Amino acid sequence: MAIIERVKKPTTRKGKKFLLDRESKVIENTKQSLFVRGRKSNEVLTSCLRDLYRLKKPNALMLGGKHDILPFENTAQIEAFSKKYDSSLFFFGTHTKKRPNNLVLGRLYDNQLLDMVELGIDHYQGLNNFDAEKITTGLKPCLIFAGPNFEQNPELNRIQNLLIDLFQRENANSVRLQGLEHIIMFTAVDNKIFMRSYRILLKKSGFRTPRIELTEIGPSIDFNLRRNKLASEDFFKSACIKPKELKVKKKKNISRDAFGTQLGRVHVKQQDIHKLQTRKMKGLKKTAKEKRMFAKRKSN
Protein backbone atom coordinates (compact mmCIF):
# COMPACT_ATOMS: atom_id res chain seq x y z
CA MET A 1 0.00 0.00 0.00
CA ALA A 2 1.48 3.31 -1.08
CA ILE A 3 1.49 6.16 1.40
CA ILE A 4 0.92 9.60 -0.06
CA GLU A 5 2.42 12.41 2.01
CA ARG A 6 -0.04 15.25 2.43
CA VAL A 7 1.35 18.70 1.72
CA LYS A 8 0.07 21.09 4.33
CA LYS A 9 -0.78 24.43 2.77
CA PRO A 10 -0.67 27.64 4.81
CA THR A 11 -4.04 28.76 6.14
CA THR A 12 -3.05 32.28 7.13
CA ARG A 13 -1.43 35.20 5.35
CA LYS A 14 1.44 35.19 7.86
CA GLY A 15 2.10 31.49 7.25
CA LYS A 16 2.11 31.99 3.47
CA LYS A 17 4.56 34.88 3.81
CA PHE A 18 6.82 32.74 6.02
CA LEU A 19 6.94 29.89 3.45
CA LEU A 20 7.56 32.31 0.57
CA ASP A 21 10.48 33.81 2.49
CA ARG A 22 11.99 30.32 2.80
CA GLU A 23 11.83 29.64 -0.95
CA SER A 24 14.86 30.14 -3.20
CA LYS A 25 15.23 33.63 -4.68
CA VAL A 26 17.18 35.18 -7.53
CA ILE A 27 18.81 37.58 -5.06
CA GLU A 28 19.15 35.76 -1.75
CA ASN A 29 18.71 37.30 1.69
CA THR A 30 21.70 38.07 3.91
CA LYS A 31 23.04 34.80 5.28
CA GLN A 32 22.11 34.01 8.86
CA SER A 33 24.71 32.62 11.30
CA LEU A 34 23.94 30.11 14.03
CA PHE A 35 26.00 29.95 17.24
CA VAL A 36 25.87 26.63 19.12
CA ARG A 37 27.66 25.43 22.26
CA GLY A 38 28.66 21.78 22.67
CA ARG A 39 28.16 19.49 25.64
CA LYS A 40 31.24 20.84 27.42
CA SER A 41 32.56 24.38 27.35
CA ASN A 42 34.80 26.73 29.32
CA GLU A 43 35.14 30.46 29.93
CA VAL A 44 37.55 31.10 27.02
CA LEU A 45 35.37 29.32 24.46
CA THR A 46 32.12 30.89 25.72
CA SER A 47 33.66 34.38 25.64
CA CYS A 48 35.06 33.77 22.15
CA LEU A 49 31.68 32.68 20.79
CA ARG A 50 30.04 35.71 22.42
CA ASP A 51 32.52 38.12 20.80
CA LEU A 52 32.11 36.52 17.36
CA TYR A 53 28.35 36.74 17.85
CA ARG A 54 28.68 40.48 18.53
CA LEU A 55 30.65 40.89 15.28
CA LYS A 56 27.91 39.08 13.34
CA LYS A 57 24.84 40.81 14.82
CA PRO A 58 22.09 41.38 13.72
CA ASN A 59 22.40 38.49 11.22
CA ALA A 60 23.11 35.95 13.95
CA LEU A 61 21.26 33.69 16.38
CA MET A 62 22.72 32.30 19.62
CA LEU A 63 21.12 29.04 20.74
CA GLY A 64 20.75 28.69 24.50
CA GLY A 65 21.83 25.64 26.47
CA LYS A 66 24.35 22.94 25.62
CA HIS A 67 23.98 20.43 22.80
CA ASP A 68 25.50 16.96 22.54
CA ILE A 69 26.71 17.29 18.96
CA LEU A 70 29.85 16.01 17.22
CA PRO A 71 29.79 17.70 13.77
CA PHE A 72 32.62 15.63 12.28
CA GLU A 73 30.92 12.36 13.31
CA ASN A 74 27.31 13.27 12.51
CA THR A 75 26.02 16.39 10.76
CA ALA A 76 22.30 15.55 11.03
CA GLN A 77 21.66 17.83 14.05
CA ILE A 78 23.48 20.79 12.50
CA GLU A 79 21.53 20.35 9.25
CA ALA A 80 18.27 20.15 11.23
CA PHE A 81 19.10 23.41 13.05
CA SER A 82 19.95 25.00 9.69
CA LYS A 83 16.54 24.09 8.29
CA LYS A 84 14.66 25.08 11.44
CA TYR A 85 16.28 28.51 11.88
CA ASP A 86 16.95 29.19 8.16
CA SER A 87 20.72 29.57 8.77
CA SER A 88 23.38 28.61 6.25
CA LEU A 89 26.42 29.45 8.46
CA PHE A 90 27.31 28.07 11.87
CA PHE A 91 29.85 28.50 14.70
CA PHE A 92 30.12 25.50 17.04
CA GLY A 93 32.24 25.52 20.20
CA THR A 94 33.21 22.61 22.41
CA HIS A 95 35.94 21.85 24.98
CA THR A 96 37.29 18.36 25.64
CA LYS A 97 40.51 16.89 26.98
CA LYS A 98 41.47 15.58 23.53
CA ARG A 99 40.54 18.83 21.72
CA PRO A 100 40.59 21.79 24.13
CA ASN A 101 39.10 25.16 23.10
CA ASN A 102 37.72 23.70 19.90
CA LEU A 103 35.86 25.95 17.42
CA VAL A 104 34.15 24.51 14.32
CA LEU A 105 33.22 26.90 11.50
CA GLY A 106 31.02 25.74 8.65
CA ARG A 107 28.48 26.53 5.97
CA LEU A 108 25.62 24.66 4.36
CA TYR A 109 24.01 24.60 0.94
CA ASP A 110 20.39 23.51 0.50
CA ASN A 111 20.42 22.41 4.18
CA GLN A 112 23.35 20.05 3.47
CA LEU A 113 26.86 20.46 4.84
CA LEU A 114 29.16 22.11 2.29
CA ASP A 115 32.42 23.02 4.09
CA MET A 116 33.57 22.69 7.68
CA VAL A 117 36.89 23.41 9.44
CA GLU A 118 37.97 22.70 13.01
CA LEU A 119 40.19 25.28 14.71
CA GLY A 120 41.91 25.20 18.07
CA ILE A 121 42.20 28.44 20.08
CA ASP A 122 45.83 28.84 21.20
CA HIS A 123 45.59 32.46 22.38
CA TYR A 124 42.56 34.67 22.93
CA GLN A 125 41.94 38.28 23.94
CA GLY A 126 38.33 39.42 23.98
CA LEU A 127 36.64 42.70 23.16
CA ASN A 128 36.67 43.70 26.82
CA ASN A 129 40.47 43.38 27.00
CA PHE A 130 40.95 46.36 24.65
CA ASP A 131 40.31 49.85 25.97
CA ALA A 132 39.11 51.33 22.67
CA GLU A 133 35.87 52.55 21.15
CA LYS A 134 33.97 49.65 19.60
CA ILE A 135 32.28 49.57 16.20
CA THR A 136 28.58 50.04 15.50
CA THR A 137 26.43 46.90 15.30
CA GLY A 138 25.80 45.75 11.73
CA LEU A 139 28.77 47.61 10.21
CA LYS A 140 30.19 45.94 7.10
CA PRO A 141 33.87 45.03 7.72
CA CYS A 142 36.79 45.23 5.33
CA LEU A 143 38.36 41.73 5.13
CA ILE A 144 42.13 41.42 4.61
CA PHE A 145 44.00 38.14 4.05
CA ALA A 146 47.80 38.11 4.41
CA GLY A 147 50.23 35.32 3.70
CA PRO A 148 51.05 33.37 0.51
CA ASN A 149 49.60 30.16 1.99
CA PHE A 150 46.07 31.36 1.23
CA GLU A 151 46.93 31.27 -2.48
CA GLN A 152 49.41 28.37 -2.62
CA ASN A 153 47.61 25.84 -0.40
CA PRO A 154 44.32 24.54 -1.94
CA GLU A 155 42.83 23.73 1.49
CA LEU A 156 43.69 27.16 2.91
CA ASN A 157 42.29 28.74 -0.25
CA ARG A 158 38.93 27.06 0.42
CA ILE A 159 39.14 28.06 4.11
CA GLN A 160 39.73 31.65 2.98
CA ASN A 161 36.55 31.42 0.89
CA LEU A 162 34.72 30.06 3.93
CA LEU A 163 35.95 32.93 6.16
CA ILE A 164 34.77 35.47 3.57
CA ASP A 165 31.34 33.81 3.58
CA LEU A 166 31.25 33.87 7.39
CA PHE A 167 32.25 37.49 8.01
CA GLN A 168 31.00 39.43 4.99
CA ARG A 169 27.61 41.12 4.99
CA GLU A 170 25.47 42.60 2.21
CA ASN A 171 27.10 43.19 -1.17
CA ALA A 172 28.17 46.83 -1.59
CA ASN A 173 27.97 48.45 -5.03
CA SER A 174 29.89 51.53 -3.90
CA VAL A 175 32.15 52.40 -0.97
CA ARG A 176 32.02 55.58 1.11
CA LEU A 177 35.31 56.54 2.76
CA GLN A 178 33.65 57.47 6.07
CA GLY A 179 31.87 54.12 6.06
CA LEU A 180 35.15 52.17 6.29
CA GLU A 181 35.45 51.85 10.06
CA HIS A 182 36.23 48.20 10.69
CA ILE A 183 38.95 45.81 9.47
CA ILE A 184 39.12 42.07 10.15
CA MET A 185 42.53 40.67 9.20
CA PHE A 186 43.51 37.00 8.82
CA THR A 187 47.18 36.00 8.53
CA ALA A 188 48.23 32.46 7.57
CA VAL A 189 51.62 31.22 8.82
CA ASP A 190 52.46 27.52 8.59
CA ASN A 191 49.54 25.67 10.23
CA LYS A 192 48.15 28.70 12.06
CA ILE A 193 45.68 31.50 11.30
CA PHE A 194 45.88 34.76 13.25
CA MET A 195 42.69 36.83 13.46
CA ARG A 196 42.88 40.54 14.39
CA SER A 197 40.21 43.23 14.47
CA TYR A 198 40.91 46.97 14.04
CA ARG A 199 38.97 50.21 14.03
CA ILE A 200 39.89 52.71 11.29
CA LEU A 201 40.46 56.30 12.40
CA LEU A 202 40.58 59.07 9.78
CA LYS A 203 42.91 61.88 10.86
CA LYS A 204 43.68 65.25 9.27
CA SER A 205 46.69 65.16 6.96
CA GLY A 206 46.65 68.63 5.42
CA PHE A 207 45.66 67.09 2.08
CA ARG A 208 42.43 65.91 0.54
CA THR A 209 43.21 62.29 1.45
CA PRO A 210 43.06 61.74 5.25
CA ARG A 211 45.74 60.01 7.29
CA ILE A 212 44.65 56.57 8.44
CA GLU A 213 45.39 55.07 11.86
CA LEU A 214 44.43 51.59 13.07
CA THR A 215 43.41 50.85 16.65
CA GLU A 216 43.06 47.22 17.73
CA ILE A 217 39.65 46.62 19.29
CA GLY A 218 39.53 42.82 19.50
CA PRO A 219 38.87 40.02 19.47
CA SER A 220 42.45 38.83 18.94
CA ILE A 221 42.58 35.06 18.32
CA ASP A 222 45.38 32.67 17.34
CA PHE A 223 43.97 29.56 15.67
CA ASN A 224 45.68 26.30 14.82
CA LEU A 225 44.23 24.13 12.06
CA ARG A 226 43.03 20.72 13.20
CA ARG A 227 40.57 18.98 10.88
CA ASN A 228 38.51 19.97 7.88
CA LYS A 229 35.71 18.49 5.82
CA LEU A 230 35.54 20.24 2.46
CA ALA A 231 32.99 19.67 -0.28
CA SER A 232 33.88 17.85 -3.49
CA GLU A 233 34.57 19.92 -6.59
CA ASP A 234 31.23 18.93 -8.20
CA PHE A 235 29.18 19.82 -5.11
CA PHE A 236 31.07 23.08 -4.63
CA LYS A 237 30.49 24.07 -8.29
CA SER A 238 26.77 23.33 -8.01
CA ALA A 239 26.61 25.58 -4.92
CA CYS A 240 28.27 28.42 -6.86
CA ILE A 241 25.99 28.33 -9.90
CA LYS A 242 24.40 31.72 -10.61
CA PRO A 243 20.78 31.99 -11.77
CA LYS A 244 20.25 32.78 -15.46
CA GLU A 245 18.59 36.06 -14.52
CA LEU A 246 21.81 37.34 -12.91
CA LYS A 247 24.11 36.41 -15.77
CA VAL A 248 25.13 39.34 -17.95
CA LYS A 249 24.20 38.69 -21.57
CA LYS A 250 27.12 39.19 -23.92
CA LYS A 251 26.38 41.67 -26.69
CA LYS A 252 27.54 40.64 -30.15
CA ASN A 253 30.13 42.61 -32.11
CA ILE A 254 31.03 44.78 -29.08
CA SER A 255 34.48 44.69 -27.49
CA ARG A 256 36.84 46.85 -25.46
CA ASP A 257 40.46 47.66 -26.11
CA ALA A 258 43.32 47.82 -23.60
CA PHE A 259 42.32 51.36 -22.60
CA GLY A 260 38.68 50.45 -21.90
CA THR A 261 37.30 52.14 -25.03
CA GLN A 262 34.16 50.43 -26.31
CA LEU A 263 34.41 49.30 -29.93
CA GLY A 264 31.52 48.13 -32.11
CA ARG A 265 31.34 46.42 -35.47
CA VAL A 266 28.51 47.43 -37.80
CA HIS A 267 27.47 45.12 -40.63
CA VAL A 268 26.14 46.89 -43.79
CA LYS A 269 24.44 45.06 -46.69
CA GLN A 270 26.13 45.01 -50.08
CA GLN A 271 25.20 48.14 -52.00
CA ASP A 272 24.52 48.59 -55.70
CA ILE A 273 27.04 51.21 -56.80
CA HIS A 274 24.94 52.01 -59.85
CA LYS A 275 22.17 53.39 -57.64
CA LEU A 276 24.44 55.64 -55.62
CA GLN A 277 23.64 59.34 -55.87
CA THR A 278 26.70 61.14 -57.14
CA ARG A 279 27.47 64.75 -57.80
CA LYS A 280 25.65 66.03 -60.90
CA MET A 281 28.32 67.06 -63.34
CA LYS A 282 28.86 66.55 -67.04
CA GLY A 283 31.80 64.21 -66.67
CA LEU A 284 29.79 61.76 -64.54
CA LYS A 285 26.70 61.53 -66.76
CA LYS A 286 25.89 58.11 -68.21
CA THR A 287 26.45 57.60 -71.87
CA ALA A 288 23.66 56.36 -74.16
CA LYS A 289 25.24 52.88 -74.18
CA GLU A 290 25.34 52.74 -70.34
CA LYS A 291 21.70 53.86 -70.17
CA ARG A 292 20.62 51.04 -72.55
CA MET A 293 22.60 48.46 -70.50
CA PHE A 294 21.09 49.69 -67.26
CA ALA A 295 17.51 49.59 -68.69
CA LYS A 296 18.09 46.09 -70.08
CA ARG A 297 19.39 44.84 -66.65
CA LYS A 298 16.40 46.42 -64.92
CA SER A 299 13.88 44.74 -67.26
CA ASN A 300 15.47 41.32 -66.71
Side-chain angles (χ1 to χ4, degrees):
M1 182 178 176
I3 300 173
I4 301 174
E5 293 185 3
R6 185 168 65 90
V7 178
K8 189 176 180 181
K9 294 184 178 180
T11 56
T12 61
R13 182 175 172 274
K14 188 177 180 180
K16 185 179 179 181
K17 186 180 178 182
F18 177 80
L19 290 178
L20 285 173
D21 192 54
R22 286 287 184 94
E23 290 182 359
S24 58
K25 306 175 183 63
V26 176
I27 300 175
E28 292 290 340
N29 300 333
T30 306
K31 293 181 181 180
Q32 182 91 351
S33 299
L34 198 63
F35 287 79
V36 187
R37 282 194 301 165
R39 184 177 57 183
K40 292 183 180 180
S41 183
N42 61 3
E43 188 178 348
V44 171
L45 195 61
T46 304
S47 179
C48 181
L49 280 174
R50 194 184 299 115
D51 285 346
L52 293 174
Y53 170 72
R54 288 173 65 181
L55 290 180
K56 290 290 297 177
K57 285 193 336 183
N59 307 117
L61 177 65
M62 177 79 78
L63 291 187
K66 297 181 179 180
H67 305 269
D68 190 6
I69 303 173
L70 297 173
F72 277 85
E73 278 67 36
N74 188 4
T75 61
Q77 190 62 50
I78 291 290
E79 290 172 351
F81 281 149
S82 168
K83 189 174 182 180
K84 182 178 179 180
Y85 298 105
D86 193 22
S87 302
S88 58
L89 307 170
F90 70 89
F91 294 74
F92 177 79
T94 182
H95 176 73
T96 60
K97 187 176 180 180
K98 187 178 180 181
R99 290 186 172 87
N101 299 328
N102 202 46
L103 184 65
V104 180
L105 311 178
R107 57 183 169 183
L108 301 101
Y109 169 69
D110 196 19
N111 297 320
Q112 296 179 20
L113 182 70
L114 184 66
D115 292 323
M116 181 168 58
V117 61
E118 186 179 70
L119 305 172
I121 301 173
D122 290 340
H123 176 73
Y124 165 75
Q125 282 185 293
L127 287 166
N128 297 329
N129 294 104
F130 294 89
D131 186 17
E133 186 182 354
K134 304 300 185 267
I135 58 166
T136 311
T137 301
L139 193 69
K140 185 177 175 66
C142 176
L143 302 179
I144 298 176
F145 292 87
N149 290 345
F150 280 123
E151 299 296 331
Q152 297 171 359
N153 190 327
E155 288 186 357
L156 273 172
N157 187 260
R158 182 70 69 83
I159 293 171
Q160 177 188 4
N161 188 272
L162 171 62
L163 291 171
I164 292 173
D165 226 6
L166 286 166
F167 289 97
Q168 75 171 354
R169 293 186 182 272
E170 301 85 359
N171 292 329
N173 297 323
S174 57
V175 178
R176 179 171 167 264
L177 187 60
Q178 284 75 14
L180 290 173
E181 297 182 30
H182 186 208
I183 287 178
I184 299 178
M185 184 173 182
F186 297 94
T187 306
V189 179
D190 296 331
N191 202 42
K192 294 182 180 290
I193 296 177
F194 303 96
M195 176 182 173
R196 300 292 184 266
S197 178
Y198 302 94
R199 181 181 178 86
I200 301 175
L201 301 176
L202 302 179
K203 303 287 186 178
K204 290 183 179 180
S205 63
F207 301 95
R208 188 174 181 181
T209 306
R211 180 170 54 87
I212 296 174
E213 289 185 3
L214 299 181
T215 304
E216 191 169 2
I217 59 172
S220 172
I221 313 171
D222 295 352
F223 293 114
N224 69 78
L225 297 173
R226 287 178 177 169
R227 293 183 290 177
N228 62 64
K229 193 174 184 180
L230 305 177
S232 63
E233 288 297 326
D234 295 337
F235 189 29
F236 185 74
K237 283 182 180 178
S238 65
C240 296
I241 292 175
K242 287 185 178 181
K244 291 182 180 179
E245 294 84 352
L246 294 180
K247 290 183 179 178
V248 180
K249 292 183 180 179
K250 188 178 180 181
K251 294 182 180 179
K252 293 183 178 179
N253 304 321
I254 293 178
S255 61
R256 291 184 180 274
D257 60 12
F259 302 100
T261 306
Q262 188 172 344
L263 306 174
R265 181 181 293 177
V266 180
H267 293 273
V268 182
K269 293 182 179 179
Q270 188 175 5
Q271 294 179 339
D272 187 357
I273 59 173
H274 298 288
K275 293 182 180 179
L276 287 175
Q277 177 63 48
T278 57
R279 188 179 176 187
K280 294 180 180 179
M281 55 183 295
K282 252 185 177 181
L284 295 176
K285 282 186 178 180
K286 293 184 178 72
T287 62
K289 187 178 179 181
E290 287 175 343
K291 286 180 181 179
R292 285 196 298 270
M293 287 177 62
F294 183 74
K296 188 177 179 180
R297 195 186 298 118
K298 195 174 181 181
S299 61
N300 292 337

